[in-house]
Amino acid sequence: MFTTKRKRYLAAATTAALAAAALVAAAGPAGAHHGHDHDHGHGRQVDLQLLALNDFHGHIEAEEGLTYPVGGAEVPAGGAEYLATHLAQAREGERYSTTVAAGDLIGASPFLSAAFGDEPTIESLNAMGVEVSSVGNHEFDKGIDDLYRHIEGEGDYTGADFPYLGANVVDEATGEPVLDPYWIKRFRGGVRVGFIGMTLEGTGDIVAKSGVEGLDFLDEVETADKYAEVLHDQGVDAIVVLLHEGGYPVEEDTGHDCESLDGSGVGMSGPIVDIAETMSSEVDIIVTGHTHQEYVCSVPDPAGQPRMVTSASSYGRVFTEIEATYDRRTKDIVRSSVTGANTVVERDVAPDPAQSELVARYQDEVEEVAARPVGYISEDITRGATRAEEFPLGSLIADAQLDRTADPALGGAQIALMNPGGVRADLLYDEGEAGVVSYGELYTVQPFNNYLVTMDLTGAQILTILQQQLPSADRETTLFMQVSRGFTYTWDTSLEGTDQIVADSLMLNGEPIVADQTYRVTTNNFLADGGDSFYEFANGTNRLTGEVDLVALEAWFAENSSADDPVEAPELGRVNVI
């Protein structure tokens, strides 16, 4: 069911690539003193520059609360108008430069972009010169058809000027990729660099199943190795992988020679380590994302050669600059020449006028919608510092979802469970008008437009779901399920494995949860499909799909808050952690 659309895009991409190649050939020299040819008698070597982004998530506005640590202080950072200027300055004098990204450019976006289906973000990225990106998991938040809309355009919306690559995203019936697997940047003088783009293999477990029905997400290493050979057969040996999977800088020396802006990361952990250590040595550089971390690391490839692995944090607050020498004789990157560094997108530069105009245009259109009051709070209601803890806003959302589905005609829910990653921002008392919750603020908290699903689960299944909060072979991190009022249990961290979730401690309104008794449980459709590796939800029966989570939360605030009776932050302790 994906073949027709893919062929149409591939044809367009081929035409665009030929046109771009013609423009490059006609453009002539672009720089003054950087990006020059070495060995001028033969023009054997040239300097390449890659500028890289990841996990932009639609943060086109220079938001007041968007900061990054610099010199021990949090400084304002990010915003498309400043990012564009930084990128333009970095490109100055560079003849062989391209700007790339490693996915999650859209999805889980602030209200300004999300209110227009993330079209403002794609327009912004087009204008700032992004030339190619891998897809990430959030590119699938609204399903493959919406991703095609961003690739191909629709009506007056022209879509992305750059190819979205997904080498490991295939039609499960044919095994063929439904997106372009790779893209070749053709510089002047026959210099060619191949880019393979992929999302993480686990994407199908962390997005709503309905949006990726009929798709498989293949192993990252096997896919990269396959297309590295394809590129090699086309005479392209300078190869960069854009991969929406990443790692974490750690303080201990892991033998990976990492650098981070705050100086804390000297080693690396996480999924990217094994991937980078086993991926074909034909790949010269790996640009990563997904974990929202900032690092420039050297990880030995299977041949024992150092290979650069980078990530540029998130939200456009950092970009990576990679420099490398390309040898025309070998048609490859000189691995020993590769250097890289991350730069904070501070707002101490002149804003890019085109980006300022774009942001202002959408702000004018969305201002009235975003400012609409939807509820009242008496204090900050916040997320946790991590996704491995109970937090007030998670409890409030679970309570709201329980209340909206408790009526027997609407689901008859007794318990509601909320994933921590679905809560994307805090509700702050002093944000905008004091104590007033606007629609824009609420949207930023829950931007995914997931539906509420109420289902039958046995007590034993509920226990299994709670056990699936713990790290496993499919997920290395703990995800702390946020639970509705009346449901309690004990988490004993002194015990091993799944025994940490004390089986006989599960209670509902003071009564023990019985293993073979059935309960009505509400969650969002992402979790209902087994998302975030909470696979047991997928075995729930007698499902009833309700309203969109954001609609439910807005309605709950309308019914449960007023200027005279604002909402307070729920008290913690529904889960007894010992």
Side-chain angles (χ1 to χ4, degrees):
M1 60 180 170
F2 307 108
T3 306
T4 302
K5 285 189 174 184
R6 181 172 178 269
K7 283 183 177 177
R8 187 164 79 243
Y9 172 63
L10 285 174
T14 301
T15 301
L18 290 173
L23 286 173
V24 170
H33 57 280
H34 295 293
H36 56 279
D37 294 354
H38 299 291
D39 188 14
H40 292 284
H42 305 285
R44 174 178 164 181
Q45 293 184 333
V46 299
D47 294 333
L48 297 178
Q49 180 197 58
L50 304 182
L51 303 178
L53 314 171
N54 55 273
D55 297 275
F56 189 56
H57 288 293
H59 281 266
I60 59 175
E61 286 184 281
E63 303 155 55
E64 184 176 344
L66 200 61
T67 64
Y68 204 84
V70 176
E74 292 288 332
V75 302
E81 54 193 334
Y82 299 102
L83 176 58
T85 297
H86 277 276
L87 293 175
Q89 289 178 347
R91 294 186 195 112
E92 288 179 4
E94 296 286 347
R95 297 180 185 178
Y96 301 91
S97 177
T98 187
T99 301
V100 305
D104 275 11
L105 301 181
I106 56 176
S109 303
F111 184 69
L112 181 65
S113 182
F116 299 95
D118 275 324
E119 292 178 14
T121 293
I122 296 297
E123 290 182 32
S124 173
L125 295 167
N126 287 343
M128 71 175 67
V130 171
E131 292 193 87
V132 63
S133 179
S134 70
V135 290
N137 55 287
H138 281 287
E139 265 78 19
F140 294 94
D141 279 347
K142 296 182 180 179
I144 185 67
D145 287 337
D146 188 68
L147 176 57
Y148 282 135
R149 180 179 68 86
H150 287 297
I151 291 171
E152 300 173 357
E154 181 180 68
D156 293 336
Y157 173 52
T158 59
D161 291 344
F162 53 89
Y164 252 127
L165 305 181
N168 64 335
V169 186
V170 303
D171 187 323
E172 66 179 7
T174 66
E176 294 298 315
V178 301
L179 301 167
D180 272 8
Y182 63 87
W183 175 75
I184 300 171
K185 170 69 176 184
R186 292 171 169 84
F187 293 100
R188 58 188 300 139
V191 175
R192 297 188 297 169
V193 180
F195 293 87
I196 301 167
M198 298 179 289
T199 185
L200 68 154
E201 182 183 5
T203 291
D205 296 324
I206 57 175
V207 300
K209 294 291 189 293
S210 57
V212 294
E213 185 178 356
L215 296 180
D216 276 341
F217 298 87
L218 305 182
D219 180 84
E220 303 95 335
V221 173
E222 292 177 5
T223 303
D225 290 0
K226 171 184 175 179
Y227 286 104
E229 285 302 310
V230 170
L231 287 167
H232 174 76
D233 290 344
Q234 297 183 37
V236 178
D237 290 317
I239 300 173
V240 178
V241 162
L242 308 175
L243 173 58
H244 192 71
E245 177 62 289
Y248 302 88
V250 294
E251 294 184 4
E252 60 267 26
D253 183 1
T254 60
H256 297 123
D257 191 19
C258 290
E259 293 183 1
S260 56
L261 289 170
D262 64 4
S264 63
V266 297
M268 172 180 269
S269 68
I272 195 60
V273 174
D274 182 62
I275 292 171
E277 289 179 341
T278 55
M279 186 180 290
S280 169
S281 299
E282 298 292 325
V283 174
D284 297 296
I285 297 166
I286 305 175
V287 176
T288 75
H290 188 55
T291 57
H292 291 205
Q293 300 298 304
E294 179 272 312
Y295 50 77
V296 175
C297 296
S298 177
V299 179
D301 68 14
Q305 289 184 290
R307 177 163 56 192
M308 181 163 290
V309 180
T310 70
S311 179
S313 186
S314 60
Y315 308 151
R317 297 172 297 166
V318 173
F319 72 93
T320 306
E321 181 175 5
I322 301 168
E323 295 181 341
T325 297
Y326 177 94
D327 191 308
R328 294 181 193 270
R329 181 179 59 81
T330 63
K331 299 180 182 179
D332 204 352
I333 288 171
V334 179
R335 188 74 68 82
S336 61
S337 73
V338 181
T339 61
N342 282 329
T343 298
V344 178
V345 180
E346 296 188 58
R347 298 174 190 166
D348 56 357
V349 296
D352 178 86
Q355 296 287 341
S356 297
E357 187 279 328
L358 183 150
V359 171
R361 172 161 47 88
Y362 280 107
Q363 285 173 331
D364 289 343
E365 294 182 31
V366 81
E367 186 173 342
E368 185 175 343
V369 176
R372 177 169 59 84
V374 297
Y376 301 86
I377 55 177
S378 63
E379 57 186 323
D380 292 347
I381 307 179
T382 60
R383 299 173 294 167
T386 72
R387 295 181 183 182
E389 60 188 287
E390 183 182 15
F391 52 82
L393 189 51
S395 298
L396 183 146
I397 291 171
D399 288 348
Q401 293 182 355
L402 175 64
D403 288 349
R404 294 298 295 174
T405 56
D407 188 307
L410 300 176
Q414 300 164 280
I415 300 168
L417 301 174
M418 178 65 194
N419 56 312
V423 186
R424 306 301 290 194
D426 301 323
L427 284 179
L428 301 178
Y429 181 83
D430 287 326
E431 187 77 18
E433 185 179 350
V436 176
V437 178
S438 70
Y439 182 75
E441 290 173 276
L442 215 59
Y443 193 101
T444 304
V445 169
Q446 287 207 285
F448 296 116
N449 288 310
N450 287 321
Y451 286 89
L452 300 185
V453 179
T454 306
M455 65 181 73
D456 283 351
L457 292 170
T458 65
Q461 288 178 302
I462 293 172
L463 174 61
T464 298
I465 287 168
L466 297 179
Q467 292 170 338
Q468 288 174 344
Q469 297 174 108
L470 296 160
S472 67
D474 295 322
R475 190 188 67 235
E476 293 192 349
T477 56
T478 295
L479 293 182
F480 200 114
M481 194 70 71
Q482 309 298 299
V483 306
S484 57
R485 65 182 181 279
F487 179 66
T488 60
Y489 68 95
T490 295
W491 188 325
D492 188 343
T493 59
S494 69
L495 300 177
E496 295 294 325
T498 57
D499 289 342
Q500 293 180 54
I501 309 301
V502 181
D504 61 3
S505 71
L506 275 64
M507 307 281 284
L508 178 59
N509 299 321
E511 297 293 327
I513 293 284
V514 180
D516 59 358
Q517 184 173 320
T518 297
Y519 301 86
R520 295 292 285 169
V521 179
T522 291
T523 190
N524 56 58
N525 64 279
F526 165 67
L527 285 177
D529 288 339
D532 267 346
S533 300
F534 287 98
Y535 300 121
E536 192 59 37
F537 276 117
N539 296 321
T541 59
N542 296 327
R543 295 172 175 235
L544 179 64
T545 299
E547 55 195 348
V548 171
D549 53 8
L550 176 64
V551 173
L553 188 57
E554 180 184 0
W556 185 87
F557 265 101
E559 295 170 0
N560 292 277
S561 73
S562 66
D564 296 328
D565 187 20
V567 172
E568 298 178 355
E571 292 186 8
L572 301 181
R574 298 174 184 186
V575 182
N576 178 30
V577 180
I578 57 176

